[in-house]
């Protein structure tokens, strides 16, 4: 990858079935240029007559000053002859964006797109006819650094896209959505919903699924620039700097497939896809180990999904304290696994989902 991110390869990919995907996912280290690339892309598409764009945020308060947040950087770099302004619509449920020519006095601009929030999904559904001219969607920072997701976020995400994709005489139009983020956690609700969490490896560059494609990029010049910053050098051993500059998952570190030394204390049995797994705590090392040798006599038995529920098992997420403890261990790189099946079971169990 060059000095700045280029999304040409990602946008050219077909999904795992050889079909054109509707979801394009891009994660890179910070300051790599992915946001700039795709912000410029949607504006250029509009200027070429290829339709309006829709910016997707998580909460309605994020729509404040949306024109400046979205357009300021790319204006200076690529569109100095234009400005952008926004007008609130439907009492602030969404905002309409206008591209303004700077060389025309008192130009009110031409409508080029919209900004909406996931948390307003119900209202957007009622207003869906206003968005029939949208041909592409863009959501930046789909992974939250603080795990501050909307309640039922994936349901709202699907509702938002379905609302936008109506119209133009079609029950469902092709409206691609570009998803951008820094790598935060494999447990984020989107990776869990798309089945990415258990498939993504450190050396993965491109990954294909049913209806989606993913790029995991790294821009060396952006990494070096962050590391050389006098401010960041003060925190050179900090996890956040690793995440920002190197692209490692902020909340995951390394989740190893290896067996700890010594004897662990058995703490629970987990059932996933009809198979039982054992959890053992190695106190001195601060490690939790998952293998396929459960102690069937141990009373603490948890089902990961509703289809795994059996007599004498309880749903894992109903035991909030134990569930949060396991997630804490995972987020601090303190899980070890016998193999990839065990790793997938834990990632599924602890993923942020509805």
């Amino acid at each position: 990858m060059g000095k700045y991110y280029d999304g040409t390869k990602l946008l050219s990919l077909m999904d795992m079935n050889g079909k054109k995907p509707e979801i394009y996912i891009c994660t890179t280290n910070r300051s790599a240029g992915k946001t700039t690339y795709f912000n410029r892309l949607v504006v250029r598409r509009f200027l070429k007559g290829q339709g309006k764009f829709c910016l997707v945020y998580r909460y309605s308060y994020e729509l404040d000053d949306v024109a400046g947040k979205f357009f300021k950087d790319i204006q200076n770099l690529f569109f100095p002859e234009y400005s952008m302004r926004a007008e609130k619509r439907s009492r602030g449920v969404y905002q309409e964006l206008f591209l303004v020519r700077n060389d025309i006095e008192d130009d009110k601009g031409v409508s080029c797109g919209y900004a909406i929030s996931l948390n307003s999904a119900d209202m957007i559904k009622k207003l869906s006819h206003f968005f029939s001219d949208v041909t592409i969607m863009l959501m930046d920072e789909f992974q939250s650094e603080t795990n501050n997701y909307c309640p039922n976020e994936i349901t709202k995400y699907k509702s938002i896209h379905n609302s936008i994709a109506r119209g133009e005489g079609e029950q469902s139009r092709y409206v691609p959505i570009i998803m951008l983020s820094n790598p935060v956690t494999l447990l984020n609700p989107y990776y869990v919903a798309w089945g990415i969490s258990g498939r993504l490896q450190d050396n993965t560059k491109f990954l294909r699924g049913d209806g989606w494609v993913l790029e995991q990029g790294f821009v060396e010049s952006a990494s070096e620039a962050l590391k050389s910053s006098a401010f960041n050098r003060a925190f050179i051993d900090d996890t956040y700097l690793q995440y920002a500059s190197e692209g490692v998952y902020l909340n995951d570190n390394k989740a190893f497939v290896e067996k700890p030394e010594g004897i662990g204390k058995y703490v629970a049995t987990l059932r996933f896809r009809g198979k039982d797994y054992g959890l053992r705590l190695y106190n001195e090392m601060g490690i939790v180990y998952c293998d396929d040798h459960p102690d069937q006599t141990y009373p603490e038995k948890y089902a990961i999904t509703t289809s795994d529920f059996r007599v004498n098992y309880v749903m894992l997420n109903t035991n909030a304290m134990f569930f949060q403890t396991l997630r804490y261990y995972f987020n601090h790189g303190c899980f070890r696994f016998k193999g990839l099946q065990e790793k997938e079971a834990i990632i599924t169990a602890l993923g942020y989902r509805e």
Side-chain angles (χ1 to χ4, degrees), residues 24 71 111 132 138 149 168 179 255 278 287 299 312 324 341 353:
Y24 295 87
F71 196 65
S111 176
S132 61
L138 177 62
Y149 296 99
E168 297 292 321
M179 308 288 290
I287 293 294
N312 297 326
Q324 293 300 333
Q341 283 188 329
R353 60 187 186 277

Side-chain angles (χ1 to χ4, degrees), residues 1 41 44 56 59 67 91-92 130 135 142 173 184 197 200 204 207 212 215 223 251 267 275 295 306 314 338 352:
M1 191 172 286
L41 173 76
R44 282 185 169 175
V56 182
Y59 296 104
R91 298 183 179 181
F130 288 114
T135 60
F142 73 86
R173 301 180 293 128
V184 177
S197 303
L200 199 61
T204 301
L207 194 65
W212 57 262
E215 179 177 13
S223 174
N251 291 339
V267 292
K275 184 175 181 178
D295 181 351
T306 52
V314 298
K338 180 183 177 183
Y352 292 88

Side-chain angles (χ1 to χ4, degrees), residues 73-88:
D73 286 346
I74 60 172
Q75 176 191 25
N76 295 333
L77 291 170
F78 308 110
F79 306 106
E81 69 273 30
Y82 289 100
S83 299
M84 183 170 285
R85 66 181 184 87
E87 290 186 11
K88 292 183 178 180

